[in-house]
Amino acid sequence: MNTEQLFLPFQVGNLSLSNRFVMAPMTRAQSPKGVPGSNVAAYYRRRAEGGVGLIVTEGTAINHPAAVSHQDIPNIHEEASLEGWKKVVEEVHAAGGKIIPQLWHVAMARTIGEYPNVEALPVGPSGLNLAGEPVTEPLTTEEVESLVTAFAQAAANAKSVGFDGIELHGAHGYLIDQFFWDRTNKRTDRYGGDLVGRTTFAVEIIKACRQAVGPDFPIVLRFSQWKLGAYDEKLAKTPEELASFLAPLSEAGVDIFHCSTRRFSQAEFAGSDLNLAGWTKKLTGKPCITVGSIGLQSDFFEEDKAQKPEDNIDELTERFDREEFDLVAVGRALISDPAWPAKVQSGAIDEIIPFTPEATNTLY
């Protein structure tokens, strides 16, 4: 097992990384009233000390009353929250790491009456939940435009407190992805239509964020084919459809695509071994992050047999050596073992603390 290539530096825009490992965003809901505290700062610093090149924070709420569905999910617009994030950034930088926030709006994945704002109704492109059922009224054009502005303000706030870039959460059936998906987007204005038309909301957000942060501040877009509760769903059913979908997003100013799959080893389309990141890099020429059950001995799929850690990493390095992707996001394996990258680099695979669901109960 030769992982040397995964520990080469990487640069895009003004973002310089010491290696190719990324901490994937994972909701922890440990920020009371939306304010990340010293425990959150220590949590992220610990991963930087453990060898992660880039940290993507858990989803953090943009300035909209229905952005998230829990009172302890952080936000990135209130003064106390921004002060908390400033301390998080300082701790990660002091440990030699880089960090970007994931900007988030859950849209119709939120149910009526959820915290932190119980009176706020969930909103979405057509007022449809993820099953395609009507729940609320569709967003007006003016409301959509105000959400674009809210994302841009969040991006500006991220830069002001010292973050190294931003990630837009456009995956898993949340707000941006609900505009992408024909099941949840039935609009007839400029934000609807065919697959390319349904990228308009994201394109406007990317352009507005770019204007807010300048030319060299990296913008990452996370997207997925699968949705919560619809794991076999595909926005693009062929490479040609994927090319049409990605082109306006790439042209709008995405620097890095974060291609969310449940298994990084899974081929995206028949007739090719390329995963979603591999296809995205091939079609856009942009740097890509792969993700999905990396470092785990088993994954989401009950039918899968447990995989030895060394086999998992061997396949990862083989795909990386074929230049399928540029960066590698690790999620739950880092919850159990903050030093996972350092142990991989030193070859101490047998010393890695394996992930267990119980590890998610604490913020360590």
Side-chain angles (χ1 to χ4, degrees), residues 288-304:
C288 289
I289 305 171
T290 196
V291 68
S293 300
I294 293 166
L296 300 182
Q297 292 175 273
S298 61
D299 62 17
F300 289 99
F301 296 82
E302 292 182 1
E303 67 270 21
D304 286 345

Side-chain angles (χ1 to χ4, degrees), residues 166-195:
I166 59 165
E167 175 169 285
L168 301 170
H169 197 338
H172 307 163
Y174 297 120
L175 180 63
I176 295 173
D177 197 22
Q178 285 175 26
F179 276 84
F180 290 154
W181 197 17
D182 59 359
R183 182 183 296 181
T184 49
N185 184 351
K186 307 295 184 183
R187 299 180 71 90
T188 57
D189 63 3
R190 71 177 187 270
Y191 297 109
D194 62 12
L195 182 57

Side-chain angles (χ1 to χ4, degrees), residues 63-107:
N63 190 7
H64 185 272
V68 293
S69 54
H70 194 285
Q71 66 273 19
D72 295 336
I73 289 173
N75 71 64
I76 193 161
H77 54 87
E78 295 176 348
E79 184 176 349
S81 300
L82 293 174
E83 283 299 313
W85 281 126
K86 185 176 181 180
K87 293 173 182 175
V88 171
V89 170
E90 288 171 351
E91 289 293 323
V92 169
H93 286 172
K98 301 294 175 66
I99 184 169
I100 65 175
Q102 185 186 69
L103 308 184
W104 197 25
H105 193 301
V106 303

Side-chain angles (χ1 to χ4, degrees), residues 57-350:
T57 74
E58 65 187 294
T60 184
I62 65 169
N63 190 7
H64 185 272
V68 293
S69 54
H70 194 285
Q71 66 273 19
D72 295 336
I73 289 173
N75 71 64
I76 193 161
H77 54 87
E78 295 176 348
E79 184 176 349
S81 300
L82 293 174
E83 283 299 313
W85 281 126
K86 185 176 181 180
K87 293 173 182 175
V88 171
V89 170
E90 288 171 351
E91 289 293 323
V92 169
H93 286 172
K98 301 294 175 66
I99 184 169
I100 65 175
Q102 185 186 69
L103 308 184
W104 197 25
H105 193 301
V106 303
M108 302 301 296
R110 182 179 190 269
T111 59
I112 293 173
E114 286 191 302
Y115 289 93
N117 299 309
V118 295
E119 74 288 350
L121 294 176
V123 300
S126 300
L128 306 175
N129 65 17
L130 298 188
E133 302 163 338
V135 177
T136 57
E137 292 299 314
L139 286 162
T140 66
T141 300
E142 292 74 18
E143 287 171 330
V144 177
E145 291 170 346
S146 72
L147 284 162
V148 172
T149 300
F151 272 102
Q153 184 59 58
N157 290 346
K159 186 174 183 180
S160 73
V161 299
F163 278 110
D164 300 295
I166 59 165
E167 175 169 285
L168 301 170
H169 197 338
H172 307 163
Y174 297 120
L175 180 63
I176 295 173
D177 197 22
Q178 285 175 26
F179 276 84
F180 290 154
W181 197 17
D182 59 359
R183 182 183 296 181
T184 49
N185 184 351
K186 307 295 184 183
R187 299 180 71 90
T188 57
D189 63 3
R190 71 177 187 270
Y191 297 109
D194 62 12
L195 182 57
V196 173
R198 297 195 303 272
T199 68
T200 300
F201 179 55
V203 165
E204 291 186 3
I205 289 172
I206 295 159
K207 290 180 176 179
C209 288
R210 176 60 66 209
Q211 186 172 5
V213 299
D216 297 321
F217 195 72
I219 296 176
V220 181
L221 176 67
R222 194 177 214 210
F223 78 100
S224 67
Q225 299 262 46
W226 65 273
K227 322 297 170 196
L228 295 171
Y231 297 114
D232 294 328
E233 185 66 31
K234 285 186 180 291
L235 291 173
K237 296 177 176 61
T238 65
E240 292 75 21
E241 288 185 356
L242 184 62
S244 297
F245 169 73
L246 292 171
L249 303 169
S250 180
E251 292 167 7
V254 172
D255 294 296
I256 302 173
F257 285 98
H258 189 171
C259 309
S260 180
T261 55
R262 300 176 80 203
R263 289 183 293 185
F264 79 93
S265 57
Q266 188 170 30
E268 192 58 38
F269 302 113
S272 169
D273 290 334
L274 289 175
N275 67 10
L276 184 61
W279 274 109
T280 300
K281 183 176 180 179
K282 179 179 180 178
L283 293 169
T284 67
K286 295 286 182 76
C288 289
I289 305 171
T290 196
V291 68
S293 300
I294 293 166
L296 300 182
Q297 292 175 273
S298 61
D299 62 17
F300 289 99
F301 296 82
E302 292 182 1
E303 67 270 21
D304 286 345
K305 296 179 180 179
Q307 187 178 36
K308 294 179 180 178
E310 55 267 30
D311 294 340
N312 183 279
I313 296 167
D314 273 341
E315 180 164 2
L316 180 69
T317 57
E318 288 171 6
R319 287 177 175 269
F320 183 82
D321 289 344
R322 294 200 297 264
E323 299 184 347
E324 283 193 32
F325 40 80
D326 304 271
L327 298 163
V328 176
V330 180
R332 289 167 292 163
L334 279 167
I335 290 181
S336 291
D337 195 338
W340 189 90
K343 291 177 181 178
V344 169
Q345 185 175 24
S346 67
I349 304 299
D350 58 343

